[in-house]
Each structure stands twice: as C-alpha cells, then as structure tokens.
Amino acid sequence: GDSSVIIYLQPPGVTPLGGSAVIHCEYQRHGGTFVLYRSGKKLRTLKPHGRRAEFLISNVTRSFAGPYTCHYMHGDNRTILARSDTLEVLVEELQGPSPVLSILPEHEVTAGSDVLLRCTFWNDSATCFLYLEGPAGTHYQFPSTEATLHLSQVEPGNGGRYTCQCFIKQTPPTWSIPSEFLELVVR
C-alpha cells in the first residue's frame, strides 16, 4: 500500500557486468533516513534528497547481485517506519544484438486507446521481458511464442519509457543487451 517504501532499479532489467546501476528508494515522508540491505545484511545508510535516496554502483561485479530491501528509519531513535518489497538484482554478461521494441499504433495515444508493444528478436527460442522504467517497477514477461503485449484502454499510468531484454536458453544461457528505450505518451 501507500505506507511502503518504493524500491526500483535504474536502468531496469538485467544489470551488465562492468556496467553501472542505481537503486532508488522513495518514501512519502521527509526527515528520516533510508537503510539499504542486500540478502538481509545492512549495506549502507542513504541520506535522502527530498523523498528519494540513490545508491549508485559503477563497475558492477557479480557480488552486486541479490535481493535488496530498503527500510525507512525515523530520526535518531532508529525506529523502522516502513520497508520496501524485495528487489531482485541480476548481474550478467550481456551479449548483442539487442531486441527491437516497437509501439503500435503510435507513441502518442489518447487515454482509453489500445496499444500494442512488440519486442522483436533474432532468436525464436528466447524469452523476452518488457520493463517500464521508474517507480511503477512493472515488468511483464512475454509468452515465448509471441513477444507482444496488448494494453487495452491505456491510462496515463501506462505511459513512460519502456525497454525489452531477452534471455536465450542456450549453453551457456545468455542475456541480450536491452533494446533502446521507447516512450509511450498517454494524453
């Protein structure tokens, strides 16, 4: 509900080995601090800017992977006011080419329209994932047969920057580099 901390990864999807990523923690109140945990161990205390705190990691190693949670602590007495859901961070060596994302009928639509998001990839046996950037934190797994997502009667909340990324079931299994971001605008 409203009382939980929002945690999300930027950019969304699988984090490339050697790349960089930001974990965002957000809460509706001011004045406290965030504590970030990985696998239940305290990783660090984050000072918020307004309602949000950011944990930047560059030159990502495999040790960055794992389940993250963020707690919001009240002032000096260190009372936990709220916790986030668990954010699973995956770190993999990514390989090209990237999938191609398209939005039909167009990038800018009116509320109530139907929209089709299509992820096209060179390998039929891959499973592709679609991510919506930001605190909504949504990700959809496409059925592996057809990498399309149909959004009916879109609302402004469906708007934002989307990207897709594919998992190739081969030996060894590999993740693709993500597609370019495409922005869906709902008016």
Side-chain angles (χ1 to χ4, degrees), residues 59-145:
N59 209 357
V60 170
T61 61
R62 292 208 184 271
S63 65
F64 178 63
Y68 286 81
T69 51
C70 196
H71 293 182
Y72 185 81
M73 314 288 278
H74 185 269
D76 301 330
N77 60 2
R78 286 294 180 230
T79 315
I80 298 174
L81 288 185
R83 293 178 172 84
S84 69
D85 288 338
T86 301
L87 171 70
E88 276 294 341
V89 175
L90 294 177
V91 175
E92 298 290 346
E93 203 158 335
L94 305 185
Q95 293 186 1
S98 61
V100 175
L101 181 62
S102 50
I103 299 180
L104 303 165
E106 53 201 346
H107 294 232
E108 215 171 298
V109 295
T110 49
S113 309
D114 287 1
V115 171
L116 192 69
L117 293 144
R118 178 177 288 140
C119 187
T120 309
F121 194 56
W122 61 274
N123 187 323
D124 290 340
S125 70
T127 303
C128 296
F129 296 81
L130 182 69
Y131 303 94
L132 171 58
E133 181 181 58
T138 345
H139 84 268
Y140 307 92
Q141 181 176 349
F142 291 118
S144 51
T145 48

Side-chain angles (χ1 to χ4, degrees), residues 5-16:
V5 174
I6 295 167
I7 188 170
Y8 63 97
L9 185 66
Q10 178 65 24
V14 177
T15 303

Side-chain angles (χ1 to χ4, degrees), residues 156-170:
N158 296 124
R161 283 170 21 116
Y162 287 86
T163 180
C164 72
Q165 195 169 19
C166 301
F167 175 72
I168 308 142
K169 308 181 214 36
Q170 59 185 33

